[in-house]
Amino acid sequence: MYRLLIVEDDFGIANEMKAWVEKWDMEALIAEDFREVMAEYARFQPHIILLDITLPFYDGYYWCREIRKVSNVPIVFLSSAADNMNIIMAMNMGADDFVPKPFDRNVLMAKIQALLRRSYDFAGTVPVLEHRGAFLNMGDNTLTFGEERIPLTQNEYRILLCLMESKGSVVSREKLMERLWETEQFVDENTLTVNVNRLRKKLDAAGLEHFIQTKFGVGYLVE
């Protein structure tokens, strides 16, 4: 089942769109926190996004730029500001289509289905994990934070993946070493400590201080 994220502050329109797309066997979520659209994106992992231009706090162009830092998910702008300048700006920001308001629901659904076919018939989704505004990209083993894309070694990626998958819970050193063993490299207590310390230095340099917490005698966590 495809998932659709609706970022629209007119909740009358948003609820109408949600009810309509659900009739087409799609799962839809209406964004509620317009300060944390990226967090809602990371939690829901949508296959496509409908995005208004005029939103509280940050406009749709801002969120389109932020999403494009971590994902190629199809984005359709919906706006009554359908002049050429806004359409051109939306496309330059990375949008895949622009639908002016008021819109015909059948036309909108046809555009959504066309984008889904083009995007996913021959390619799968590449998920991301989010914590404190940092996005772990599972497609290329990098971490994106702000404007920076941080390359990770295979061990660093596996450590961060394991911790972010269990966000809020302590992960034992034994479990982390098991994950690192999947690389077919010998991993002992000292090797794990060296990798965690090296990863912490990368995170600190990018502005993510204290991203990984140590629970002495137990393991590590992100919270």
Side-chain angles (χ1 to χ4, degrees), residues 73-84:
V73 62
I75 297 174
V76 179
F77 270 94
L78 302 173
S79 180
S80 54
D83 57 275
N84 288 342

Side-chain angles (χ1 to χ4, degrees), residues 68 72-77 90-91 94-98 115 118-119:
R68 281 291 170 259
N72 289 320
V73 62
I75 297 174
V76 179
F77 270 94
M91 296 303 178
D96 296 275
D97 208 338
F98 192 109
L115 278 170
R118 289 201 297 270
S119 301

Side-chain angles (χ1 to χ4, degrees), residues 51-69:
L51 181 60
D52 193 10
I53 292 178
T54 306
L55 296 167
F57 308 114
Y58 304 98
D59 63 22
Y61 297 133
Y62 172 83
W63 291 120
C64 187
R65 288 195 303 271
E66 293 300 298
I67 292 166
R68 281 291 170 259
K69 291 177 184 177

Side-chain angles (χ1 to χ4, degrees), residues 11-158:
F11 289 103
I13 293 176
N15 281 299
E16 180 184 342
M17 287 191 293
K18 183 177 187 293
W20 178 250
V21 300
E22 286 174 346
K23 292 180 180 178
W24 292 80
D25 294 325
M26 293 179 63
E27 183 181 356
L29 175 72
I30 299 171
E32 296 182 355
D33 188 345
F34 294 104
R35 291 184 187 269
E36 297 292 341
V37 171
M38 289 301 294
E40 299 212 28
Y41 163 78
R43 284 193 296 269
F44 190 53
Q45 295 288 320
H47 296 94
I48 191 167
I49 298 172
L50 299 183
L51 181 60
D52 193 10
I53 292 178
T54 306
L55 296 167
F57 308 114
Y58 304 98
D59 63 22
Y61 297 133
Y62 172 83
W63 291 120
C64 187
R65 288 195 303 271
E66 293 300 298
I67 292 166
R68 281 291 170 259
K69 291 177 184 177
V70 299
S71 174
N72 289 320
V73 62
I75 297 174
V76 179
F77 270 94
L78 302 173
S79 180
S80 54
D83 57 275
N84 288 342
M85 183 61 70
N86 276 303
I87 294 173
I88 292 169
M89 188 175 298
M91 296 303 178
N92 287 339
M93 293 294 175
D96 296 275
D97 208 338
F98 192 109
V99 177
K101 296 178 183 177
F103 52 84
D104 182 283
R105 292 183 300 181
N106 291 306
V107 172
L108 176 61
M109 180 53 64
K111 288 177 175 288
I112 289 172
Q113 290 177 326
L115 278 170
L116 290 173
R117 283 195 303 271
R118 289 201 297 270
S119 301
Y120 302 112
D121 276 0
F122 302 103
T125 59
V126 177
V128 296
L129 293 176
E130 183 272 344
H131 179 61
R132 281 177 51 187
F135 294 83
L136 184 63
N137 312 299
M138 300 184 196
D140 61 3
N141 293 15
T142 62
L143 187 74
T144 301
F145 181 63
E147 300 296 328
E148 188 171 358
R149 185 178 289 267
I150 307 160
L152 303 172
T153 66
Q154 190 175 41
N155 281 351
E156 291 166 351
Y157 170 76
R158 287 180 182 272

